[in-house]
Amino acid sequence: MRNPGQCENLYQKSLDVILKAQQPGGAYLACPVMPDYQFSWFRDGAYISYALTIDGQRGSVMWGKSRAAQWESAGRFHEWCARIINRRSDRLERTIARARQGLALVLDDTLNARYRPDGEEGPQGWPEFQLDGPGIWLWSLHQYVLTAHLRPLPVAWERAVDLTARYLAALWQTPCHDYWEERGGDVHISTLASIFAGLNAAQALLPRLNLEATMEAIRDFVLRKGLTPAGEFSKAVGLDAVDGSLISVATPCRLVPPDDPIMRRTIARIERELSAPGGGIYRYREDTYYGGGPWILLALWLAWYYVEVNERARAEEILAWAADQADEAGNLPEQVNRSLLSPAHYAPWVAQRGPIANPLVWCHAKYLIVRRKMEDMR
Ligand code: BGC
């Protein structure tokens, strides 16, 4: 998908994939054809709605018979999230109260990472307790409110922002599953960055929350406990390893600015250790999911970072590689089935879940984000 016409197609295709994945209630399916991914994640949806938020600035798209702008879609997702959260307010308030008293977490009273489009929990057994999702959702909602000049905040959104922010502020030190829904006993640095971004957003939306001290405590904790011996951000407290999701610490979470020396060192180590031969970025060195191939959305995330530090040539190179990974129909999969870190694990995952998720909706969102950011750079 290299020439300009093909790239335009991938741009349109990405919008198409995203809008088609949205359900009547506002949820975005993570992948419309993979049974385990026919849920809506806070994490995926936050980036999807952000892509539509910034894309909507250039005008609205026609969709079906009606004029369904990108903002309308993003707004419906935020409404869906607010509904999910508000419906669980009693349980979340209990969790906040327990955390404040130093009592153990009751998982039933926490937010899940993913919900069915009707807002119900999915089957038991998924590693649902993940704090990055609600954090990055608050960030995305704030971006939407700013960009679409949405004031005053709808009452249900205000309630959900208030509740989610207090929930995250009470739980931020609690171990949870990471961006990849793994390592539930660890405290993950990219999770803390998402929580930081979410609290920052909530504070801007509702200054009465007084979250500044908690945000400072999170940044201080990361700088004291979240670094590797060589001074990079670490995958989790106590590990000497990086993870592709650490790009988010700066882009977009701004726990530090993108050109911060720690961030620069982290990106350099990600490039050194997680770049796949032939292109793409691995999630982490020990990844075995579908054999541990390179992820397109992580490569695009890195391109987004390079746009932010004004390294346009590298961003363009990655964008072109990512576009080349689209199949004949223009779909972008979750990962590339080449240069696998652990080839023996490929077949067992296919047997368990079917082929690699394709299209992966938040991968298309990352593509849109990079396209828009590159245009803004011109
Ligand atoms: C990834 C998550 C993602 C989910 C749905 C999982 O395999 O690890 O980051 O949210 O898929 O796309």
Side-chain angles (χ1 to χ4, degrees):
M1 277 241 171
R2 279 256 176 146
N3 70 50
Q6 282 173 315
C7 286
E8 200 40 39
N9 286 348
L10 188 52
Y11 164 78
Q12 291 297 340
K13 172 75 186 182
S14 295
L15 272 178
D16 194 55
V17 166
I18 290 176
L19 294 174
K20 273 192 182 142
Q22 188 164 38
Q23 303 302 293
Y28 297 110
L29 299 182
C31 170
V33 296
M34 189 186 204
D36 275 337
Y37 281 23
Q38 289 184 4
F39 294 85
S40 188
W41 271 257
F42 286 112
R43 172 189 312 110
D44 300 36
Y47 287 106
I48 296 165
S49 52
Y50 178 63
L52 294 179
T53 296
I54 58 172
D55 197 61
Q57 275 180 306
R58 71 196 281 276
S60 57
V61 286
M62 298 298 291
W63 182 247
K65 290 205 178 65
S66 58
R67 182 179 159 281
Q70 296 91 322
W71 287 356
E72 192 264 343
S73 170
R76 285 204 293 126
F77 173 70
H78 293 310
E79 255 162 56
W80 181 79
C81 294
R83 259 199 319 278
I84 300 245
I85 290 163
N86 290 337
R87 235 190 255 167
R88 290 164 176 81
S89 62
D90 289 352
R91 298 198 234 162
L92 301 183
E93 293 290 5
R94 283 202 292 272
T95 291
I96 296 169
R98 256 191 235 110
R100 287 186 180 151
Q101 293 165 53
L103 299 174
L105 199 70
V106 173
L107 279 177
D108 263 357
D109 284 349
T110 61
L111 281 175
N112 278 10
R114 56 173 210 172
Y115 288 95
R116 291 191 343 207
D118 65 3
E120 292 307 312
E121 277 81 6
Q124 298 282 315
W126 198 264
E128 298 280 3
F129 182 54
Q130 303 169 26
L131 295 172
D132 66 286
I136 203 68
W137 170 65
L138 286 174
W139 168 83
S140 178
L141 177 125
H142 182 220
Q143 296 299 311
Y144 177 77
V145 167
L146 287 177
T147 312
H149 305 290
L150 187 82
R151 281 288 179 185
L153 211 54
V155 176
W157 295 22
E158 177 173 340
R159 229 181 120 210
V161 168
D162 177 287
L163 183 56
T164 309
R166 287 184 297 107
Y167 171 80
L168 292 173
L171 292 185
W172 67 270
Q173 302 195 60
T174 314
C176 68
H177 292 96
D178 63 8
Y179 253 78
W180 316 127
E181 319 195 289
E182 294 171 348
R183 300 188 72 103
D186 284 346
V187 175
H188 309 279
I189 305 312
S190 44
T191 299
L192 290 176
S194 294
I195 296 174
F196 177 89
L199 296 186
N200 201 13
Q203 178 66 34
L205 288 165
L206 304 176
R208 63 163 192 260
L209 286 171
N210 293 322
L211 297 163
E212 289 95 343
T214 311
M215 284 163 51
E216 227 14 78
I218 296 174
R219 196 202 306 264
D220 182 62
F221 178 90
V222 169
L223 296 176
R224 278 186 303 108
K225 305 236 172 155
L227 303 188
T228 65
E232 299 110 2
F233 289 114
S234 142
K235 180 175 165 76
V237 171
L239 294 183
D240 183 6
V242 287
D243 184 288
S245 67
L246 286 167
I247 303 166
S248 68
V249 174
T251 304
C253 294
R254 292 291 192 271
L255 186 89
V256 294
D259 61 356
D260 179 275
I262 306 175
M263 201 61 223
R264 289 279 192 185
R265 284 195 292 272
T266 308
I267 295 293
R269 185 161 171 191
I270 288 174
E271 286 268 25
R272 259 190 339 267
E273 295 185 5
L274 301 182
S275 291
I281 298 291
Y282 297 119
R283 298 194 299 180
Y284 54 94
R285 280 309 304 178
E286 296 75 30
D287 195 3
T288 58
Y289 186 51
Y290 281 90
W295 280 46
I296 301 164
L297 73 87
L298 281 176
L300 289 165
W301 210 324
L302 192 60
W304 181 6
Y305 172 84
Y306 282 124
V307 172
E308 293 202 322
V309 291
N310 235 341
E311 293 183 32
R312 190 184 174 91
R314 178 79 179 110
E316 267 173 0
E317 184 191 354
I318 298 174
L319 190 68
W321 174 84
D324 271 350
Q325 310 314 308
D327 67 13
E328 278 170 13
N331 293 315
L332 291 170
E334 183 173 63
Q335 58 171 278
V336 176
N337 179 18
R338 279 195 308 272
S339 312
L340 304 185
L341 291 167
S342 180
H345 284 91
Y346 177 71
W349 276 110
V350 176
Q352 186 179 329
R353 287 211 176 143
I356 290 172
N358 184 35
L360 186 73
V361 180
W362 69 310
C363 189
H364 282 278
K366 285 281 160 67
Y367 180 80
L368 284 188
I369 292 171
V370 178
R371 287 287 301 269
R372 287 283 77 81
K373 298 282 173 187
M374 304 251 304
E375 276 183 22
D376 292 351
M377 205 182 175
R378 282 199 191 108

